[in-house]
Amino acid sequence: MKIYVCPTYDVMSKKAADVMSAQLILKPDSVLGLATGSSPLGLYGELVERCERGEISFEKVTTVNLDEYCGLSPDNDQSYSYFMHKNLFDRVNIRPENVHLPDGTNTDAEAETKRYDALIASVGGVDMQLLGIGVDGHIGFNEPADHFSVGTVRVALTESTIEANSRFFASEDEVPRYAYSMGCGTILNADKILFIANGKNKAEILEQAFFGPVTPQVPASLLQLVADKVYAFVDAEAGALLAANHPEEVILV
Ligand code: F6R
């Protein structure tokens, strides 16, 4: 695994944008797997600016997002669909029909998980998957469990995730308890994985995920199995334990 420890969130975001831009330049019709949350905001801002300057184009790009809350429709401002439109899709030249997320309004979990897997297969799989990590080690919404998911799943969010995500809602009670998430198997099948993490609350879980045992209790630890295709950009706070305890394994940016 290539782990790049960047001095700041801004540098992390710019470097990640460099990698994603290179992907779009090399393969203009890329399928991008995308994530929501605080970690990619800077990266998305960079991509928007580069697109405005004509340096990159989303004209032929297809996207599949990692996850969506169950019960929220795309026009709900807490939905991941809303987040993606606000922070990226509505600000670049992507075709609306090429944008895909799980449908949080579909109450038939079996049908929705199958539909999303079929959709990902129909676009030929993911060329570059963007990933953040939860403080509990989740990737997508694959929470710590006793087994790894393969395809898309409907998951019950853990207390730690509900608490972490309550910052975006009026109260913790309003955080949906379930979500649809791309499965760990699909994530690992992406051609390349662009991983980002920032902030000191990610430092411990990053060390566990990258250097601890591979276990479904830390879903991100799976990335060790596909280390060759993972490019991890973290800021100095998130990367503090990686840099201190595994200096030979990190690249200081
Ligand atoms: C979001 C997602 C999550 C986040 C993770 C980190 O689509 O799949 O796994 O990447 O919860 O969230 P932030 O970036 O807000 O710390």
Side-chain angles (χ1 to χ4, degrees), residues 59-106:
E59 167 90 50
K60 297 181 180 155
V61 169
T62 297
T63 63
V64 287
N65 259 77
L66 282 169
D67 38 23
E68 178 60 281
Y69 287 119
C70 291
L72 299 193
S73 61
D75 58 356
N76 184 311
D77 62 6
Q78 300 297 349
S79 74
Y80 284 173
S81 178
Y82 191 96
F83 174 101
M84 289 306 303
H85 279 90
K86 180 171 160 215
N87 293 299
L88 186 67
F89 300 150
D90 292 353
R91 303 168 64 197
V92 296
N93 61 338
I94 196 162
R95 293 174 187 267
E97 64 271 27
N98 289 350
V99 160
H100 307 285
L101 291 96
D103 177 1
T105 65
N106 191 347

Side-chain angles (χ1 to χ4, degrees), residues 69 72 76 78-79 165-172 174-176:
Y69 287 119
L72 299 193
N76 184 311
Q78 300 297 349
S79 74
N165 289 8
S166 65
R167 67 190 194 275
F168 301 113
F169 291 80
S171 79
E172 207 171 297
E174 286 184 28
V175 185

Side-chain angles (χ1 to χ4, degrees), residues 37-49:
S38 312
S39 315
L41 279 175
L43 160 63
Y44 291 157
E46 276 291 321
L47 293 176
V48 167
E49 283 177 22

Side-chain angles (χ1 to χ4, degrees), residues 170-193:
S171 79
E172 207 171 297
D173 289 345
E174 286 184 28
V175 185
R177 268 34 185 179
Y178 292 90
Y180 288 121
S181 177
M182 194 187 279
C184 291
T186 308
I187 292 172
L188 291 200
N189 272 336
D191 276 0
K192 295 181 208 78
I193 295 176

